[in-house]
């Protein structure tokens, strides 16, 4: 189960009088860990209806450039499906593993072409050590660099674009949808992957179904335009959902590993907003609360925010929250700042 600590670690923290244990008692007393079957039944039903409506409109519209509007709509729906797969992976919906995995693979692999097993492995490691340069795969120096040390040691693509990565960040998100598919297929060979035959079959079924529908209904040019717009917007939407959460927040390296509560709170950023923000970001705008209590149902995160923020003030732990636009600006400023060693070396040539 993806979590900000292993199950054993959380049990230990809850029973040893730690700061996290005291916070957990307040959260439990407020009833915020209870399941919300009614909420998730309605949410799943709505997302499935939107998914069906999008493809229904696609087949009704036929070979028309108006299909680009359908492509944009389905990009949003794909994002919502991915957010549901996220909640399933954290067992926010079902308490047991089997139904979570079944639904997770249906929504992830079949629904949007993203491997549930690959994402589970990656996201679990992220939750255990958020923003740790050596342990969190989300801040590995792959294409972007996340610290000045990574910038100095960068090679290949990261070195080529690192000096201007803040300017390139949002354009690069247009490739994220394609990257999810490629990474999912590559992960089928990974030793950690369970039920790889099932995962592979569902991924291929999604890809084959998508391409068949596009090229049977649309002319080749329109089909390619639909695919490009849909996947680019899907990538941008997912990137804009996840980017505010940790980018530009403190990072750790080496033996730096604060206690559980501080490890989660200090590296996370909350995004203020109303119900629309909650829907668009899938509740991940309450990133601090989500990292502290990853199995907490999404509709409880807003109430948990008040409890956690007050508790952090009591024990003197910085709790960072900002607006959505400000969160992107903070992330981009950070990306520009950490790319300075690369720019400096280029100027010195």
């Amino acid at each position: 189960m993806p979590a900000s600590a292993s199950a054993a670690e959380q049990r230990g923290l809850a029973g040893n009088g730690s700061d996290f244990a005291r916070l957990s008692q307040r959260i439990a007393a407020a009833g915020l860990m209870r399941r919300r079957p009614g909420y998730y039944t309605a949410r799943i039903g709505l997302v499935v209806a939107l998914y069906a409506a999008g493809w229904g409109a696609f087949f009704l519209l036929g070979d028309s450039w108006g299909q680009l509007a359908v492509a944009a709509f389905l990009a949003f729906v794909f994002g919502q499906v991915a957010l549901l797969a996220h909640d399933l992976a954290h067992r926010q919906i079902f308490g047991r593993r089997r139904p979570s995995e079944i639904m997770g693979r249906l929504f992830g692999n079949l629904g949007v072409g993203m491997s549930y097993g690959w994402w589970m492995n990656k996201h679990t490691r992220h939750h255990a050590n958020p923003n740790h340069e050596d342990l969190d795969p989300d801040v590995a120096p792959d294409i972007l660099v996340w610290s000045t040390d990574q910038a100095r040691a960068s090679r290949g693509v990261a070195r080529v674009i690192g000096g201007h990565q803040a300017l390139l960040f949002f354009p690069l998100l247009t490739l994220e949808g394609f990257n999810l598919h490629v990474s999912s297929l590559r992960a089928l060979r990974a030793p950690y992957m369970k039920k790889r035959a099932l995962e592979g079959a569902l991924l291929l079924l999604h890809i084959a179904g998508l391409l068949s529908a596009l090229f049977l209904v649309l002319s080749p040019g329109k089909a390619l335009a639909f695919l490009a717009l849909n996947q680019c917007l899907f990538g941008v939407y997912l990137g804009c959902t996840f980017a505010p959460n940790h980018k530009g927040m403190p990072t750790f390296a080496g033996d730096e590993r604060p206690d559980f509560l501080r490890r989660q709170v200090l590296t996370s950023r909350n995004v203020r907003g109303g119900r629309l923000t909650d829907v668009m970001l899938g509740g991940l705008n309450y990133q601090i609360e989500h990292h502290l209590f990853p199995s907490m149902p999404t509709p409880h995160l807003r109430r948990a925010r008040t409890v956690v923020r007050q508790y952090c003030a009591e024990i003197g732990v910085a709790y960072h929250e900002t607006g959505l636009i400000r969160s992107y600006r903070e992330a981009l400023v950070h990306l520009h700042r950490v790319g300075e060693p690369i720019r400096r070396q280029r100027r010195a040539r």
Side-chain angles (χ1 to χ4, degrees), residues 23-41:
L23 174 60
S24 294
Q25 291 168 0
R26 296 189 187 185
I27 292 293
L32 297 177
M33 298 304 296
R34 289 198 302 264
R35 305 284 175 197
R36 290 291 300 273
Y39 164 84
Y40 277 111
T41 298

Side-chain angles (χ1 to χ4, degrees), residues 188-251:
L188 293 175
R189 301 174 58 185
Y192 63 77
M193 183 66 74
K194 300 176 182 178
K195 299 187 183 300
R196 63 187 65 190
L198 176 60
E199 293 241 359
L202 291 174
L203 287 173
L204 292 176
L205 187 58
H206 169 84
I207 295 170
L210 175 63
L211 295 179
S212 296
L214 295 184
F215 285 96
L216 286 173
V217 173
L218 305 177
S219 65
K222 293 187 185 75
L224 291 174
F226 184 107
L227 181 65
L229 181 64
N230 174 259
Q231 291 300 301
C232 287
L233 290 180
F234 175 48
V236 170
Y237 180 34
L238 282 186
C240 288
T241 298
F242 287 94
N245 301 342
H246 302 280
K247 309 312 179 192
M249 296 301 291
T251 59

Side-chain angles (χ1 to χ4, degrees), residues 236-279:
V236 170
Y237 180 34
L238 282 186
C240 288
T241 298
F242 287 94
N245 301 342
H246 302 280
K247 309 312 179 192
M249 296 301 291
T251 59
F252 302 116
D255 294 332
E256 294 179 289
R257 200 167 184 263
D259 68 86
F260 175 73
L261 183 141
R262 287 162 182 80
R263 192 161 76 238
Q264 307 303 330
V265 176
L266 296 178
T267 61
S268 302
R269 176 195 292 109
N270 271 20
V271 175
R272 289 190 296 268
R275 297 297 180 183
L276 179 60
T277 303
D278 293 359
V279 171

Side-chain angles (χ1 to χ4, degrees), residues 3 20 29 82 103 114 139-140 156 166-167 185 196 199 209 250 252 257 261 288 310 317:
F20 176 72
M103 292 290 288
M114 179 182 71
V139 292
L167 292 173
L185 290 171
R196 63 187 65 190
E199 293 241 359
F252 302 116
R257 200 167 184 263
L261 183 141
I288 294 172
Q310 178 181 337
V317 174

Side-chain angles (χ1 to χ4, degrees), residues 267-300:
T267 61
S268 302
R269 176 195 292 109
N270 271 20
V271 175
R272 289 190 296 268
R275 297 297 180 183
L276 179 60
T277 303
D278 293 359
V279 171
M280 294 300 293
L281 300 187
L284 296 181
N285 42 314
Y286 305 108
Q287 189 66 195
I288 294 172
E289 289 71 31
H290 171 61
H291 259 255
L292 287 169
F293 304 98
S295 62
M296 178 182 291
T298 293
H300 287 165

